[in-house]
Amino acid sequence: MSTIYHTRRKKTFEFLKEKGMDAALLTSPSMIYYLTGFRSNPHERFLALLLDARSEEETLFAPMLDAQAASEQGTVDTIIPSGDTENPYEKLKQKLGAAPASLAIEKSNVTVDKAERLQDVAPGARFEDLTPFLEAMRMRKTRDEVERVRLAVETIEKVMNHALTHAVVGMTELDLTAELEYQMKRFGADKPSFDTIVLAGRRSALPHGTPENVAFQENDFLLIDMGVVVQGYCSDITRTFIMGEGTAEQEAIYEAVHAANLRGIEAARAGRTLASVDKAARDEIEARGYGKYFTHRVGHGFGMDIHEYPSVHGDNREPIETGLLFTVEPGIYVPEIGGVRIEDDLYIKEDGTAEVITTFTKHLIRL
Ligand code: MN
Ligand code: MN
């Protein structure tokens, strides 16, 4: 039976032939999942998909303990398992036969250690980077993929709702983080899609801070950035609340970010540049006097991984295309006051308009 995975491998073979490359060896678990349907975390064990353009053979190298699952889910006919006392690189060398002149790999996924082993396996082979091709293919999501993202969004929004009823002054960032991650699993998620971020007060001005044993106080901003994996796909949402009344300036900061988020979403249409989404959000924040406090790009693609192509920043002149899935997440981070970020997930539909998959309210909520 031919599946979406066969189609993706076929496209990869076509690309290899077009570029005159002999073979490709894919090694990141998410790319192997994308190309075969087999999802696993091999830890330090050897997991690789060999696509040999010379023979058109497809071979999945898997740890022995994963071999059964790989043959059931993997859509690849030939699976070569390796036990813990065996050397999988020897098996790879045997399978390759005559050394390929060029080997396409995922350069960002191959450590120096692995690269040296591959040089032994394919002496004299030129390494090419297949990542840009694969990322470009992965960037355009199918409806099926987006429906899985929607499930992941629905799940995380239940957890965000739970946060509203649960967060109180005196609770710590770590307390709430533990509660939210517990609820993720109760609502059916496989796992968080990244380390949950719960930051309060001035600490919310750290865009990538980690939760600590710090208690929420009256008038703190409470920033919650989290996501889950459901059926292999991620969600990513941020909402910011105020514990109590807060100040007029906190409200002004919140409204600036809220307006920037809406401007960014409005700008997200097929045919415009990705840069225009960043610019629309940034202009709004600059007009309100907070430009220097918006210190990161406006968004990023995601899917099976929490960060994928495209990068939505002010210098990305690439066009927005149908099938793209990315976040819009402007923020303002004032060190003495705290930070606000509002993050939504967008899909560019067949008609070129953006569908906002996240539905959680963006009106300021005081807890
Ligand atoms: Mn996020
Ligand atoms: Mn994000």
Side-chain angles (χ1 to χ4, degrees), residues 3 26 30 207 230:
T3 63
L26 293 319
S30 61
V230 174

Side-chain angles (χ1 to χ4, degrees), residues 218-220 242-248 250-251 364 366-367:
E218 194 69 23
N219 295 328
D220 273 358
I242 296 180
M243 304 301 296
E245 262 310 294
T247 64
Q250 278 175 294
E251 186 166 340
L364 176 55
R366 295 178 166 88
L367 298 175

Side-chain angles (χ1 to χ4, degrees), residues 194 197 225-226 236-238 300 306 327 329 341 343:
F194 56 93
I197 297 175
D225 184 354
M226 60 185 175
D236 188 5
I237 185 172
T238 309
H300 57 85
I306 193 63
T327 67
E329 49 178 306
R341 181 164 63 254
E343 175 177 32

